[in-house]
DNA sequence: CGTCACCTTGAATAATTTCAATCGACGTGG
DNA sequence: CCACGTCGATTGAAATTATTCAAGGTGACG
């Protein structure tokens, strides 16, 4: 699960461009935003600098979340390429949000100040970043509802469907089998479960024929409809309300 | 617990102004943003129109969250005056986020388009809204960590401290006793617990002398330090990173 | 004075964690 | 090459935690 080849262009531009037709000037602005790509090995922290920073995930998977006093942690969000990272540390000082690499990852850095210039020069992109932020909030809402109100099996099924949907959005050629690089402990950290219990639920899903576990870090969704029914999963990958945005520039 | 008198000026301007010195032009822009105040009675939905809308909570408490297929719900966020509501429906279409009035509330409406003009005319306010959004994301992270990784008593203690901290930020004169208009069922919906269990935990906290339950919809925090220790609560009401923001206009 | 919403309590049940082992794969140094 | 240590997956049994089910109880309000 190393960093894959995505070395050209801006991952952020690709992400935003998938939702909205960007003007050439907007694309240029996003391209120059993303600088100094850096590779971080699996399991390492992204940005241990102590200073808040903005990053764009260019390849690989990352997790953001909180570490508790007793050493346990809660993963709030599993990030795939194109996600903007590090924003939380800008709301309350560094260290609030713990970013770690779930696979080997490549991140681009966004200079302090460059983002401010983006807001000034391209109001529409600023508003789009706001939308993007609230979209992450929405997916946190979904996660919270799953953790607070559904049992372990449903949570696991929901996570699998969520990751499947998001990976397919990035790579439409994906079929029923897809990468699943998380350890069971990491899955537990995301779902508020122990690794032991994740293991049991995974076995149950496999025994029921809903999923099949590949040998490598992969998984196959055998009966998506039943997974969806089990988890109450609703795919959010549909229309976005963009008609309130400012007019583009350039 | 009716709507209190806060009929002058913009609740949003007050909120943002508490974090940052606003220029007169910025304050004007925020003032004109907030229009058509409307009162909604306790228990009612805010915005059942089916159309996404932006609202500013001017007085009272509101909840945002998700309703599950089986009729249960998960409250994701408890909103106090000054909060911006309705943004989530702009990411994925109406109905994604369920807003309801926890007390009688007064909300102001923000016109579609007015927000776009704000981004164009005042990039700094746009960026500040982005910060605000990520701050809500942070508090969702905290909530998720509580629901996923701590037991019922700790969750309850944490919620009490959170609401205390946020109410004090709005009204510095508040002491140990403060409004607590939520029913135990609503508290359960926020914490991922049943009302029955909330009741038991509340009794335990009261019997241990950590809190005292007032007769009205109020609560007294008797031993905040022990509540904090119990819940691992970290108060996020400190410095905000604003030095990356664009320069103000006006 | 009845009704409704909310709070309270107990007992039985179910879900999840904790504790304790074991196993396989994999890389490392001897 | 092989022993060794580590990490992750796996499984069982006991202990906890929270839910469910079932009854009251209380206060506000028409």
């Amino acid at each position: 699960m190393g960093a894959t080849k995505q070395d050209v262009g801006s991952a952020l531009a690709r992400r935003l461009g998938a939702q909205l037709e960007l003007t050439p000037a907007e694309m240029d602005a996003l391209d120059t935003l993303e600088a100094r790509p850096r590779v971080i090995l699996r399991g390492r922290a992204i940005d241990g600098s102590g200073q808040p920073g903005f990053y764009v995930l260019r390849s690989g998977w990352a997790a953001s979340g909180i570490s508790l006093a007793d050493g346990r942690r809660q993963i709030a969000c599993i990030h795939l390429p194109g996600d903007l990272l590090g924003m939380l540390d800008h709301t309350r000082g560094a260290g609030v949000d713990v970013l770690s690499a779930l696979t080997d990852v490549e991140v681009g850095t966004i200079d302090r100040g460059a983002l401010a210039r983006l807001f000034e020069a391209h109001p529409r992109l600023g508003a789009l970043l706001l939308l993007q932020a609230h979209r992450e909030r929405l997916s946190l809402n979904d996660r919270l509802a799953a953790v607070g109100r559904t049992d372990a099996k449903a949570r696991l099924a929901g996570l699998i469907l969520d990751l499947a949907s998001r990976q397919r959005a990035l790579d439409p050629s994906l079929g029923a089998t897809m990468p699943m690089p998380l350890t069971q402990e990491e899955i537990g950290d995301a779902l508020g479960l122990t690794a032991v219990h994740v293991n049991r639920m995974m076995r149950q899903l496999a025994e029921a024929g809903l999923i099949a576990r590949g040998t490598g870090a992969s998984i196959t969704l055998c009966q998506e409809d039943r997974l969806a029914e089990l988890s109450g999963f609703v795919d959010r990958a549909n229309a976005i309300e963009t008609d309130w945005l400012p007019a583009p520039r350039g």
Side-chain angles (χ1 to χ4, degrees), chain A:
Chain A
M1 287 319 88
T4 58
K5 71 303 160 205
Q6 288 199 340
D7 302 302
V8 285
S10 153
L12 193 55
R14 260 195 308 279
R15 169 65 62 93
L16 298 182
Q19 303 172 12
L20 201 63
E21 185 103 23
L22 299 176
T23 67
E26 287 177 332
M27 242 176 304
D28 273 358
L30 290 173
D31 276 345
T32 59
L33 205 60
E34 208 172 296
R36 300 199 306 282
R38 196 155 49 93
V39 169
I40 291 149
L41 296 184
R42 167 179 179 193
R44 295 286 162 72
I46 299 174
D47 176 34
S49 72
Q51 269 245 328
F54 297 111
Y55 307 96
V56 177
L57 186 58
R58 294 171 64 84
S59 68
W61 293 23
S64 76
I66 284 181
S67 32
L68 296 252
D70 58 0
R72 295 150 80 202
R73 70 171 171 173
Q74 174 70 46
I75 291 178
C77 198
I78 295 170
H79 293 283
L80 304 192
D83 281 356
L84 185 59
L85 310 179
M87 190 55 86
L88 282 194
D89 281 350
H90 287 266
T91 66
R92 294 299 189 198
V96 162
D97 195 32
V98 178
L99 296 171
S100 64
L102 293 172
T103 67
D104 295 349
V105 302
E106 188 187 10
V107 299
T109 308
I110 296 180
D111 282 327
R112 292 172 79 74
L115 205 59
R117 287 191 296 280
L118 187 73
F119 266 86
E120 291 176 326
H122 295 282
R124 186 170 80 145
L125 293 180
L128 204 49
L129 288 179
L130 181 63
L131 266 189
Q132 201 71 15
H134 280 287
R135 199 156 74 146
E136 287 193 19
R137 195 157 80 81
L138 176 56
S139 97
L140 267 174
N141 274 9
D142 285 338
R143 175 71 53 79
L144 181 64
V147 172
R149 287 302 188 205
T150 72
D151 65 15
K153 208 190 294 189
R155 279 181 236 177
L156 182 54
L159 179 69
I160 291 168
L161 287 173
D162 176 56
L163 291 174
S165 163
R166 290 168 60 205
Q167 287 191 82
R168 283 171 181 156
L170 294 176
D171 177 4
S173 72
L174 265 181
T177 299
M178 60 193 56
M180 180 55 177
L182 304 197
T183 67
Q184 293 182 352
E185 177 140 25
E186 286 161 345
I187 294 173
D189 285 342
L191 298 179
L193 298 170
T194 57
V196 171
H197 205 56
V198 169
N199 183 291
R200 290 193 237 268
M201 292 305 105
M202 214 119 179
R203 183 163 57 81
Q204 285 189 26
L205 287 182
E207 281 173 357
L210 302 191
I211 62 170
R213 288 176 283 177
T215 53
S218 79
I219 191 175
T220 302
L221 286 67
C222 304
Q223 302 186 48
E224 286 195 46
D225 48 347
R226 286 186 57 197
L227 285 173
E229 180 189 6
L230 183 64
S231 64
F233 177 73
V234 280
D235 196 341
R236 307 282 195 202
N238 44 23
I240 310 164
E241 297 275 335
T242 53
D243 49 342
W244 67 274
L245 295 173
R249 290 191 186 168

